Amino acid sequence: TLGHAIGDRLLRNSAERIRTAVRETDTVARIGSDQFAVLLENLADIEAAELVLDKISDAFTSEYDLLGQEVHCTASIGFSDFPRDAHDAETLVRYADIALQSTKQSGGDASRAFSVDLHAKAASRPHLEQALAGAIAHDELSMHYQPRIDLRSGRVIGMEALLRWNHPELGLVSPAEFIPIAEESGLIISIGEWVLQTACTQTQAWQRAGLPKVTVSVNLSALQLAQYDIGDHIAQVLDDTELPHNYLELEITESAIIHNAESAADKLNRLRDLGVRCSIDDFGTGYSSLSYLRQLPIHALKVDRSFIHKVSQDPGNAAITTAVISMARDLGLRVVAEGVETEEDAAYLKQRGCDEVQGYFFSRPLPADDFAAYLAQPHNTPGLGEIDGDQAHRTLLILDDDNNVLRSLVRLLRNEGYNILTATEPEQAFKLLARHRTGLIISDLRMPRMSGVEFLKRCRQLHPQAARMILSGADDREAVMTSINEVGIEKYLTKPWDDEKLRDAIRETLKEPLAPQFGAA
Ligand code: C2E
Ligand code: MG
Ligand code: MG
């Protein structure tokens, strides 16, 4: 009310007052419009901290003289303690903020320590539910967007709209925490409407601004699907926002469909008639009834991220994911892998014929402005283009912890025209195998990290197209014999090897081109 010049002086003067109340070695920073953070290091105990906070409070008692204006100010303080309250900076700041809000609520001009009670109160069900009821009106909700990438072209073809709630005291609350509350309290209906409206408006605005046109996926909860007029509502939102219908996709969980068993078909058919796509979210974690997949108009399956985690190394996850991919292929559905965190998992999924990926490896969910900037750059996913299915019958991988062995094998096979991959550790081998479709895997038996038997066993499940060969020390004969059945190896040879025999054995194994891979275009 007194103008910017006086406001600036007030802030500088306040900063100075705080600085004189603390030691040289402490840190004072301004972190928001009228918020300061103070870091007090190496204090003896909590009492010592309270003394300093009293000094800071006292520093504000005298009047400010600002360009002739007399102003009175008070400080409201909240604090948290390391290591008592938390161990990381982010949580400590958040907790101090919770304590600060509590100070303000009780009139301000005081200081208060964070306590578990304060947090528990703010985070308790009734409080959360009450706060959530006002979240839209208080402008606390926002959408983040995470890209969906087509594995064949390497291009961004869609985005998932993910809801974020910025709670005044608790900071960002995870949707995993508040969506269930929204569902149980019925608030999800109004929140869901807000989400649809916001996501469609945003998508249309980006398209009008000339950004690449991508589909937006919006998560629909079971309760929303249960609304009798959900189809009308979505048609209305599409009309209002003028978003072309084929750019909206809805993500529904299996359990939402089961909960709406009688009406789900009608509703999804209505959406299909509108030109809106539906995909099944978190596929594999819900009910195991699969008959609905044949009966309902479903566009894609999103394989739950628990199955995607380390899929290029974990035979169990690979088996489930591969089975879903092949089932989806036969049913004419697309497969989206969510939660892809590493390049080798993405490459492996591409090799297995997965259509689309989404995950931290490509991008975290981003606030709208950041996502627009992301969309504006041309995207080609680095590295993933390298997988070359046609070369598989010319590609072999050799795993041996002895570099000399690797070197002499490469020398021996140099003129054979193979694409030779070498690794000294299983982990490295799995990464290479994820990126290069391979016809033959040759492994040593005795290695420090993982035995050759275990390694080949996993290869058999992860890369069933590849033949397996053991190249072991002569004294491992017995281990070889017992492992032949377990691993299903093609051949075994002993070290030191006979050059001629080894060359022939490899030629023999790699003579035929492999059957086409799932994903081969
Ligand atoms: P979801 O629909 O399965 O969304 C994917 C979740 O995985 C998101 O969590 C996303 O941030 C996270 N994620 C993406 N990539 C990775 C990754 O590489 N690694 C890991 N560990 N996580 C990844 P988020 O945003 O916390 O959302 C959680 C869930 O909350 C969503 O799961 C969805 O079921 C629900 N949700 C979010 N927004 C809405 C909404 O607007 N409406 C409804 N009804 N539910 C929503
Ligand atoms: Mg989803
Ligand atoms: Mg999901």
Side-chain angles (χ1 to χ4, degrees):
T1 56
L2 299 174
H4 281 298
I6 291 188
D8 287 349
R9 271 173 192 260
L10 175 69
L11 286 171
R12 274 201 213 111
N13 195 315
S14 304
E16 206 42 52
R17 289 177 188 219
I18 299 172
R19 191 147 51 191
T20 46
V22 302
R23 301 163 302 177
E24 271 292 303
T25 50
D26 296 326
T27 306
V28 179
R30 177 163 165 250
I31 56 169
S33 56
D34 62 349
Q35 277 198 7
F36 292 87
V38 179
L39 179 66
L40 306 172
E41 289 179 88
N42 300 320
L43 288 175
D45 49 28
I46 281 280
E47 283 75 37
E50 282 165 348
L51 275 178
V52 181
L53 300 181
D54 284 346
K55 269 176 76 182
I56 295 176
S57 286
D58 291 346
F60 282 84
T61 49
S62 62
E63 272 187 359
Y64 289 69
D65 183 3
L66 304 170
L67 302 171
Q69 290 275 347
E70 284 192 353
V71 175
H72 198 78
C73 252
T74 58
S76 302
I77 303 175
F79 71 97
S80 59
D81 176 36
F82 169 90
R84 184 192 67 182
D85 298 331
H87 288 263
D88 64 290
E90 200 180 319
T91 313
L92 284 163
V93 171
R94 196 154 55 82
Y95 284 177
D97 207 35
I98 290 175
L100 171 63
Q101 298 307 329
S102 153
T103 311
K104 281 185 178 170
Q105 274 163 18
S106 41
D109 193 12
S111 69
R112 184 168 285 187
F114 170 79
S115 75
V116 180
D117 287 353
L118 282 179
H119 184 254
K121 193 171 156 220
S124 72
R125 260 304 290 262
H127 273 82
L128 274 183
E129 193 178 315
Q130 204 186 3
L132 192 55
I136 297 179
H138 298 142
D139 216 14
E140 291 162 8
L141 297 183
S142 64
M143 298 311 294
H144 280 198
Y145 299 88
Q146 187 179 36
R148 280 168 60 164
I149 286 110
D150 179 76
L151 275 176
R152 210 160 283 177
S153 66
R155 282 217 282 277
V156 179
I157 54 166
M159 57 189 175
E160 178 168 9
L162 292 158
L163 184 58
R164 296 291 177 261
W165 179 22
N166 195 1
H167 185 286
E169 292 163 34
L170 299 172
L172 275 184
V173 184
S174 154
E177 229 172 298
F178 72 83
I179 293 286
I181 297 178
E183 283 175 337
E184 284 162 40
S185 59
L187 286 166
I188 193 69
I189 299 294
S190 54
I191 291 177
E193 284 175 9
W194 183 89
V195 167
L196 261 170
Q197 188 79 36
T198 307
C200 291
T201 305
Q202 182 66 80
T203 307
Q204 172 65 331
W206 282 335
Q207 295 198 353
R208 289 208 171 126
L211 288 170
K213 294 190 173 179
V214 300
T215 314
V216 64
S217 314
V218 174
N219 293 284
L220 214 59
S221 95
L223 209 61
Q224 283 174 285
L225 190 65
Q227 277 178 288
Y228 72 96
D229 59 350
I230 183 70
D232 294 342
H233 173 63
I234 287 168
Q236 185 66 51
V237 171
L238 288 168
D239 268 6
D240 290 349
T241 59
E242 295 176 3
L243 179 69
H245 296 194
N246 56 324
Y247 284 104
L248 175 63
E249 176 166 329
L250 299 167
E251 296 190 3
I252 306 167
T253 59
E254 293 170 87
S255 53
I257 287 177
I258 305 294
H259 275 126
N260 292 284
E262 324 85 72
S263 62
D266 286 348
K267 283 172 178 163
L268 296 192
N269 285 330
R270 170 80 206 281
L271 293 173
R272 181 201 48 202
D273 295 344
L274 276 177
V276 173
R277 294 171 181 164
C278 290
S279 56
I280 303 297
D281 206 351
D282 306 340
F283 186 75
T285 59
Y287 294 80
S288 56
S289 156
L290 294 175
S291 57
Y292 73 88
L293 289 180
R294 276 189 297 124
Q295 291 150 12
L296 300 178
I298 289 161
H299 173 70
L301 303 180
K302 293 190 83 177
V303 182
D304 191 68
R305 64 168 190 266
S306 58
F307 302 122
I308 301 303
H309 185 67
K310 292 209 161 173
V311 69
S312 61
Q313 295 192 32
D314 179 329
N317 277 356
I320 291 170
T321 304
T322 306
V324 173
I325 292 170
S326 101
M327 177 182 71
R329 183 163 295 258
D330 292 344
L331 289 169
L333 307 172
R334 274 175 81 81
V335 177
V336 185
E338 58 181 17
V340 178
E341 293 184 350
T342 64
E343 179 169 14
E344 56 270 18
D345 288 341
Y348 181 80
L349 288 161
K350 181 173 180 178
Q351 215 184 105
R352 297 281 104 188
C354 180
D355 301 293
E356 254 179 74
V357 278
Q358 180 184 338
Y360 294 169
F361 172 66
F362 300 96
S363 165
R364 292 196 168 244
L366 300 171
D369 288 348
D370 294 353
F371 191 82
Y374 177 91
L375 260 191
Q377 308 158 0
H379 281 281
N380 267 313
T381 42
L384 299 185
E386 281 176 28
I387 303 156
D388 192 347
D390 296 327
Q391 284 305 308
H393 70 288
R394 312 293 312 157
T395 302
L396 62 103
L397 176 132
I398 313 169
L399 169 65
D400 201 304
D401 58 324
D402 183 347
N403 247 321
N404 293 322
V405 171
L406 293 177
R407 263 196 295 272
S408 45
L409 283 172
V410 169
R411 211 176 307 122
L412 168 67
L413 299 169
R414 193 168 33 201
N415 295 322
E416 298 284 298
Y418 300 133
N419 172 26
I420 304 172
L421 314 166
T422 58
T424 51
E425 291 194 17
E427 181 110 353
Q428 192 191 359
F430 285 129
K431 286 185 183 173
L432 286 167
L433 288 168
R435 300 186 49 157
H436 305 269
R437 194 160 181 264
T438 301
L440 171 64
I441 299 168
I442 303 175
S443 174
D444 187 14
L445 259 196
R446 276 198 218 168
M447 294 175 292
R449 291 262 180 113
M450 184 189 288
S451 78
V453 172
E454 177 61 25
F455 170 70
L456 289 172
K457 236 201 280 185
R458 289 198 196 178
C459 287
R460 178 189 198 167
Q461 291 167 291
L462 290 164
H463 301 279
Q465 85 284 347
R468 294 165 294 277
M469 196 184 278
I470 287 177
L471 187 60
S472 73
D475 48 344
D476 287 332
R477 232 189 151 77
E478 210 163 307
V480 171
M481 297 320 282
T482 52
S483 58
I484 282 182
N485 286 331
E486 247 183 293
V487 180
I489 54 168
E490 223 65 21
K491 293 201 167 68
Y492 81 88
L493 293 163
T494 48
K495 295 185 224 174
W497 60 84
D498 175 308
D499 279 0
E500 221 31 57
K501 266 194 194 155
L502 180 63
R503 230 184 340 230
D504 287 348
I506 295 174
R507 272 189 203 146
E508 176 68 15
T509 323
L510 284 177
K511 66 175 187 280
E512 303 275 339
L514 298 173
Q517 71 187 108
F518 273 136

